[in-house]
Amino acid sequence: ERTPCSKRQGSKKGTKDGKSKSSKTSAEEQTDRLDVNDKKTQKNHKKKSDGQVAGTAWHEDGCLWGPGVRNIRVKALNSDLDARYRDMVKARREKVHRDSAGKVGYIHVPDMERLGWSEFHRHWQKERRRGGLIVDLRGNSGGCISELLLPRLAQSCLGWEVPRRGAPCPFPEAASVGPVVLLVDSGSSSDAEIAALGFRQLGVGKVVGTRTWGGVAGVSYDSALVDGTYVGVPVCGVYMTSAGYGLENKGVEPDIVVENSPQDYLMERDTQLEVAMSEVLDVIANTPALGHPPRTKPLKRDLNVEEAICNMNEETWPFEVWKAIKPRVERVRDVPWADVTEI
């Protein structure tokens, strides 16, 4: 179908030679390109044009172009769950540090995969050096790192390396210096339940919270359907020496049962975390041996007596002396390649 000539030229009815009755200015043409159907946009555009800097112009995409103009586009995240998660963990950690006067550390492990392992090590080196530690497995969806996590939690502090300057270091270096309490709830599932039961079986500390989910069987999702979904088939069971096959469909019963009520959620209060922190502080109070070792007192040395003893035996000094002594030449005994030395 052919288009009439008058329409192809853009003329209106009642005009001559296809020309419009009124000609448009460049500013009006820019306004039409923005959005001719949006009166609000046109109104705002006219207001901006009144105070517009010379040499600048509004582009059809709504940005102001020209010398000295910088347009910044902000791309929003497709999800703010990661930011909200970090904010939640930070708020819990600050609460534990504040209420315990810095004596208790806090670590949350979101899953038993790469994310959970990285989040554990993100805070492990710093939080384990406090008097006690809370490891939170609430909402943990499981995975396969329980055999890596349990040795770290089970390694207790056997001693300290006290340097001449600086803070003492625990021995072994990766050990926790105080008691450890584990937090679980109904959202702790799969490998997180194995970690909780192994934590208790090794005698590391108390388990606080509510009964876990009760599903530890390994599942394979290799069977794909034509509609894009998968069929999960159990392929592996879990047998624990302390519970047998009873972990499946039952979960782990905590040593101290504490449940956050709806009123706690309304008041933004975490009763389970408060009970776990109280348990750690009680163990610290009843175990005075935990904590940094005491500083040793400096020895009082009589340099005159030591010098007299060494001169009497005609031997070199086996220790460093902070007193000016006249150098003397003395033969080194039992050293065939050296005849004389100065001390």
Side-chain angles (χ1 to χ4, degrees):
E1 182 178 359
R2 297 183 60 186
T3 304
C5 181
S6 61
K7 293 185 177 180
R8 290 201 305 271
Q9 297 177 358
S11 62
K12 295 184 179 180
K13 188 176 180 180
T15 61
K16 295 180 180 181
D17 300 331
K19 296 181 179 180
S20 176
K21 289 183 178 180
S22 60
S23 59
K24 294 184 177 181
T25 63
S26 60
E28 292 176 345
E29 291 177 356
Q30 292 176 2
T31 304
D32 292 341
R33 284 198 299 268
L34 286 174
D35 191 358
V36 295
N37 296 323
D38 192 352
K39 296 181 179 180
K40 184 177 181 179
T41 302
Q42 296 178 10
K43 184 178 179 180
N44 294 336
H45 174 72
K46 290 180 180 179
K47 290 182 178 180
K48 294 177 181 179
S49 299
D50 295 339
Q52 184 173 319
V53 181
T56 60
W58 287 96
H59 195 259
E60 58 184 0
D61 60 358
C63 297
L64 185 65
W65 285 16
V69 177
R70 182 183 180 187
N71 295 301
I72 301 176
R73 293 183 178 274
V74 179
K75 183 179 180 181
L77 296 173
N78 58 358
S79 174
D80 61 348
L81 291 179
D82 292 340
R84 291 181 178 273
Y85 167 75
R86 290 288 175 83
D87 185 68
M88 177 196 70
V89 174
K90 180 181 178 181
R92 290 179 180 176
R93 182 177 297 107
E94 291 177 351
K95 173 180 173 57
V96 172
H97 293 172
R98 181 178 61 254
D99 295 348
S100 65
K103 296 180 180 179
V104 182
Y106 174 84
I107 299 176
H108 183 267
V109 183
D111 58 26
M112 292 294 187
E113 295 288 349
R114 289 170 292 182
L115 175 61
W117 189 238
S118 63
E119 289 295 322
F120 176 79
H121 278 282
R122 180 187 297 271
H123 308 287
W124 168 252
Q125 295 296 333
K126 184 177 181 179
E127 297 299 312
R128 69 182 177 85
R129 293 178 178 271
R130 301 180 183 273
L133 180 65
I134 298 174
V135 179
D136 195 347
L137 297 184
R138 293 179 296 179
N140 190 304
S141 57
C144 57
I145 65 169
S146 60
E147 57 184 285
L148 301 176
L149 191 65
L150 286 176
R152 295 299 180 94
L153 300 179
Q155 180 62 67
S156 60
C157 180
L158 303 179
W160 294 86
E161 295 181 0
V162 184
R164 181 180 295 273
R165 298 177 180 86
C169 299
F171 176 80
E173 186 178 358
S176 177
V177 301
V180 184
V181 170
L182 199 69
L183 268 174
V184 296
D185 65 356
S186 58
S188 306
S189 60
S190 189
D191 197 45
E193 301 178 87
I194 299 176
L197 187 60
F199 183 85
R200 175 193 293 165
Q201 188 171 337
L202 292 172
V204 181
K206 296 291 186 65
V207 180
V208 180
T210 58
R211 186 168 63 92
T212 60
W213 183 54
V216 295
V219 181
S220 173
Y221 292 94
D222 295 336
S223 302
L225 303 180
V226 294
D227 60 352
T229 59
Y230 291 84
V231 175
V233 180
V235 296
C236 177
V238 176
Y239 179 90
M240 302 293 289
T241 57
S242 60
Y245 290 109
L247 194 58
E248 187 71 31
N249 294 325
K250 182 180 179 181
V252 178
E253 291 285 350
D255 300 315
I256 303 176
V257 179
V258 181
E259 186 172 357
N260 289 338
S261 63
Q263 291 78 10
D264 293 335
Y265 286 104
L266 182 62
M267 300 175 61
E268 298 182 354
R269 179 182 178 184
D270 196 342
T271 306
Q272 295 174 339
L273 185 61
E274 294 176 358
V275 173
M277 181 173 53
S278 177
E279 179 66 21
V280 174
L281 292 175
D282 289 344
V283 177
I284 294 175
N286 297 327
T287 314
L290 295 177
H292 292 327
R295 287 291 183 179
T296 58
K297 297 182 179 180
L299 298 177
K300 295 182 179 180
R301 303 176 59 179
D302 192 343
L303 300 181
N304 296 325
V305 175
E306 294 176 357
E307 184 180 2
I309 293 176
C310 290
N311 291 337
M312 180 178 61
N313 297 331
E314 296 183 356
E315 295 180 357
T316 58
W317 288 32
F319 45 80
E320 182 181 0
V321 179
W322 299 276
K323 182 180 179 181
I325 301 175
K326 296 180 181 181
R328 66 179 185 271
V329 178
E330 183 174 291
R331 183 174 299 277
V332 179
R333 303 172 183 176
D334 301 330
V335 182
W337 59 83
D339 294 332
V340 178
T341 182
E342 290 185 4
I343 60 172

